[in-house]
Coordinates of all heavy atoms in Angstrom, one line a residue:
I106 N -2.4 -5.7 3.3 CA -3.6 -5.7 4.1 C -4.4 -4.5 3.8 O -5.7 -4.6 3.6 CB -3.2 -5.7 5.5 CG1 -2.5 -7.1 6.0 CG2 -4.5 -5.5 6.4 CD1 -3.4 -8.3 5.9
E107 N -3.8 -3.3 3.6 CA -4.5 -2.1 3.3 C -5.3 -2.4 2.0 O -6.4 -2.0 1.8 CB -3.6 -0.9 3.1 CG -2.9 -0.5 4.4 CD -3.8 0.0 5.5 OE1 -4.9 0.6 5.2 OE2 -3.4 0.0 6.7
L110 N -8.3 -4.7 2.5 CA -9.4 -4.0 3.1 C -10.2 -3.1 2.2 O -11.4 -3.1 2.1 CB -9.0 -3.2 4.4 CG -8.2 -3.9 5.5 CD1 -7.7 -3.0 6.5 CD2 -9.1 -5.0 6.1
K111 N -9.4 -2.4 1.3 CA -10.0 -1.4 0.3 C -10.7 -2.3 -0.7 O -11.7 -2.0 -1.3 CB -9.0 -0.4 -0.2 CG -8.7 0.6 0.8 CD -7.7 1.6 0.4 CE -8.2 2.6 -0.8 NZ -7.2 3.5 -1.2
R126 N -20.4 -2.3 5.5 CA -19.3 -1.4 5.9 C -18.4 -1.9 7.0 O -17.4 -1.4 7.3 CB -19.8 0.0 6.2 CG -20.8 0.0 7.3 CD -21.6 1.3 7.5 NE -22.5 1.2 8.6 CZ -23.7 0.7 8.5 NH1 -24.2 0.2 7.3 NH2 -24.6 0.7 9.5
H127 N -18.9 -2.9 7.7 CA -18.1 -3.4 8.9 C -17.1 -4.5 8.5 O -17.4 -5.4 7.7 CB -19.1 -4.0 9.9 CG -20.0 -3.0 10.5 ND1 -19.6 -2.0 11.3 CD2 -21.3 -2.9 10.5 CE1 -20.6 -1.3 11.7 NE2 -21.7 -1.7 11.2
I128 N -16.0 -4.4 9.1 CA -14.9 -5.5 9.0 C -14.6 -6.0 10.4 O -14.5 -5.3 11.3 CB -13.7 -4.9 8.3 CG1 -14.1 -4.5 6.8 CG2 -12.6 -6.0 8.3 CD1 -12.9 -4.1 6.0
I129 N -14.7 -7.3 10.4 CA -14.4 -8.0 11.7 C -13.1 -8.6 11.8 O -12.7 -9.4 10.8 CB -15.6 -9.0 12.0 CG1 -16.9 -8.3 11.9 CG2 -15.4 -9.7 13.3 CD1 -18.1 -9.4 11.9
G130 N -12.3 -8.4 12.7 CA -11.0 -9.1 12.9 C -11.0 -9.9 14.2 O -12.1 -10.2 14.8
R131 N -9.8 -10.3 14.6 CA -9.7 -11.1 15.9 C -8.8 -10.4 16.9 O -7.7 -9.9 16.4 CB -9.2 -12.5 15.6 CG -10.2 -13.3 14.7 CD -9.9 -14.7 14.7 NE -8.5 -15.0 14.2 CZ -8.0 -16.2 14.0 NH1 -8.7 -17.2 14.4 NH2 -6.8 -16.3 13.5
W132 N -9.1 -10.5 18.2 CA -8.1 -10.0 19.2 C -6.8 -10.9 19.1 O -6.9 -12.0 18.7 CB -8.7 -10.2 20.5 CG -9.8 -9.2 20.8 CD1 -11.1 -9.4 21.0 CD2 -9.7 -7.7 20.7 NE1 -11.8 -8.2 21.2 CE2 -11.0 -7.2 21.0 CE3 -8.6 -6.8 20.5 CZ2 -11.2 -5.9 21.0 CZ3 -8.9 -5.5 20.6 CH2 -10.2 -5.0 20.8
H136 N -1.9 -7.6 11.9 CA -2.0 -7.4 10.4 C -1.1 -6.3 9.8 O -1.2 -6.1 8.6 CB -3.5 -7.2 10.1 CG -4.4 -8.3 10.4 ND1 -4.2 -9.6 10.0 CD2 -5.4 -8.3 11.2 CE1 -5.1 -10.4 10.5 NE2 -5.9 -9.6 11.2
I140 N -2.3 2.4 9.5 CA -3.5 2.6 10.4 C -4.6 1.6 10.1 O -5.3 1.1 11.0 CB -4.0 4.1 10.1 CG1 -3.0 5.1 10.6 CG2 -5.4 4.4 10.6 CD1 -2.8 5.1 12.1
G141 N -5.0 1.3 8.9 CA -6.0 0.3 8.6 C -5.6 -1.1 9.1 O -6.5 -1.8 9.7
A142 N -4.4 -1.5 8.9 CA -4.0 -2.8 9.4 C -3.9 -2.9 10.8 O -4.3 -3.9 11.4 CB -2.6 -3.1 8.7
L143 N -3.6 -1.8 11.4 CA -3.6 -1.7 12.9 C -5.0 -1.9 13.5 O -5.2 -2.5 14.4 CB -2.9 -0.4 13.4 CG -2.3 -0.3 14.8 CD1 -1.3 -1.4 15.0 CD2 -1.7 1.0 15.0
A144 N -5.8 -1.2 12.8 CA -7.3 -1.2 13.2 C -7.9 -2.6 13.1 O -8.6 -3.0 13.8 CB -8.1 -0.2 12.4
A145 N -7.5 -3.3 12.0 CA -8.0 -4.6 11.7 C -7.4 -5.6 12.8 O -8.1 -6.5 13.2 CB -7.6 -5.0 10.3
G146 N -6.2 -5.3 13.1 CA -5.4 -6.2 14.1 C -6.0 -6.1 15.5 O -6.7 -5.1 15.8
G147 N -5.6 -7.0 16.3 CA -6.2 -6.9 17.7 C -5.2 -7.1 18.8 O -5.4 -7.6 19.8
R152 N -1.9 -1.2 19.5 CA -3.1 -0.3 19.1 C -3.2 0.9 20.0 O -3.5 2.0 19.6 CB -4.4 -1.1 19.2 CG -4.6 -2.2 18.1 CD -5.8 -3.0 18.5 NE -7.0 -2.2 18.6 CZ -7.9 -1.9 17.7 NH1 -7.8 -2.5 16.5 NH2 -9.0 -1.1 17.9
E156 N -5.0 4.5 19.2 CA -6.5 4.2 19.2 C -7.3 5.4 18.7 O -8.3 5.2 17.9 CB -6.9 3.8 20.7 CG -8.2 3.0 20.8 CD -7.9 1.5 20.4 OE1 -7.0 0.8 20.9 OE2 -8.7 1.1 19.6
L159 N -7.7 5.3 15.0 CA -8.0 4.1 14.3 C -9.5 4.0 13.8 O -10.3 4.3 14.7 CB -7.8 2.8 15.2 CG -6.3 2.7 15.6 CD1 -6.2 1.3 16.4 CD2 -5.4 2.6 14.4
P160 N -9.8 3.6 12.6 CA -11.2 3.4 12.3 C -11.8 2.3 13.1 O -11.0 1.4 13.6 CB -11.1 3.0 10.7 CG -9.7 2.6 10.5 CD -8.8 3.3 11.5
K161 N -13.1 2.2 13.2 CA -13.7 1.2 14.1 C -13.8 -0.1 13.4 O -14.5 -0.2 12.3 CB -15.1 1.8 14.4 CG -15.9 0.8 15.2 CD -16.1 1.3 16.7 CE -16.9 0.3 17.5 NZ -16.1 -0.9 17.8
F162 N -13.1 -1.2 13.9 CA -13.3 -2.5 13.4 C -13.8 -3.3 14.6 O -13.6 -3.0 15.8 CB -11.9 -3.1 13.0 CG -11.5 -2.6 11.6 CD1 -11.3 -1.3 11.3 CD2 -11.1 -3.6 10.7 CE1 -10.9 -0.9 10.1 CE2 -10.7 -3.2 9.4 CZ -10.5 -1.8 9.1
E163 N -14.6 -4.3 14.3 CA -15.0 -5.2 15.3 C -14.0 -6.3 15.5 O -13.3 -6.7 14.6 CB -16.3 -5.8 14.9 CG -17.5 -4.9 14.7 CD -17.9 -4.2 15.9 OE1 -17.9 -4.8 17.1 OE2 -18.2 -2.9 15.9
H164 N -14.0 -6.9 16.7 CA -13.1 -8.1 17.0 C -13.8 -9.2 17.8 O -14.5 -9.0 18.6 CB -11.8 -7.5 17.8 CG -11.0 -6.6 17.1 ND1 -11.2 -5.3 17.1 CD2 -10.0 -6.8 16.3 CE1 -10.3 -4.6 16.3 NE2 -9.6 -5.6 15.8
I165 N -13.4 -10.4 17.3 CA -13.9 -11.6 18.1 C -12.6 -12.2 18.7 O -11.5 -11.9 18.4 CB -14.7 -12.6 17.2 CG1 -13.9 -13.1 16.1 CG2 -15.9 -11.9 16.7 CD1 -14.4 -14.3 15.3
L198 N -24.1 -6.9 14.5 CA -23.9 -5.7 13.6 C -25.0 -5.6 12.6 O -25.3 -4.5 12.0 CB -22.6 -5.9 12.9 CG -21.4 -5.8 13.8 CD1 -20.1 -6.4 13.1 CD2 -21.1 -4.4 14.2
A205 N -16.5 -7.9 5.6 CA -15.5 -9.0 5.6 C -15.1 -9.4 7.0 O -15.2 -8.6 7.9 CB -14.2 -8.4 4.8
F206 N -14.5 -10.5 7.0 CA -13.8 -11.0 8.2 C -12.4 -11.3 7.9 O -12.0 -11.9 6.8 CB -14.4 -12.4 8.6 CG -13.7 -13.0 9.8 CD1 -13.6 -12.5 11.1 CD2 -13.2 -14.3 9.6 CE1 -13.0 -13.1 12.1 CE2 -12.5 -14.9 10.7 CZ -12.4 -14.3 11.9
I207 N -11.5 -10.9 8.7 CA -10.0 -11.0 8.4 C -9.3 -11.8 9.6 O -9.6 -11.5 10.7 CB -9.3 -9.7 8.2 CG1 -7.8 -9.9 7.9 CG2 -9.6 -8.7 9.3 CD1 -7.1 -8.7 7.4
I241 N -11.1 -12.8 4.3 CA -9.7 -12.3 4.0 C -8.7 -13.1 4.9 O -8.8 -13.1 6.1 CB -9.5 -10.8 4.4 CG1 -10.6 -10.0 3.6 CG2 -8.0 -10.4 3.9 CD1 -10.5 -8.5 4.0

Side-chain angles (χ1 to χ4, degrees):
I106 295 294
E107 298 291 338
L110 301 174
K111 286 179 70 180
R126 60 191 179 278
H127 294 297
I128 298 187
I129 303 170
R131 297 192 301 179
W132 290 117
H136 299 302
I140 293 293
L143 200 58
R152 291 170 55 97
E156 203 75 54
L159 300 182
K161 175 109 183 73
F162 281 57
E163 300 294 321
H164 294 89
I165 63 169
L198 294 164
F206 173 63
I207 179 167
I241 306 172

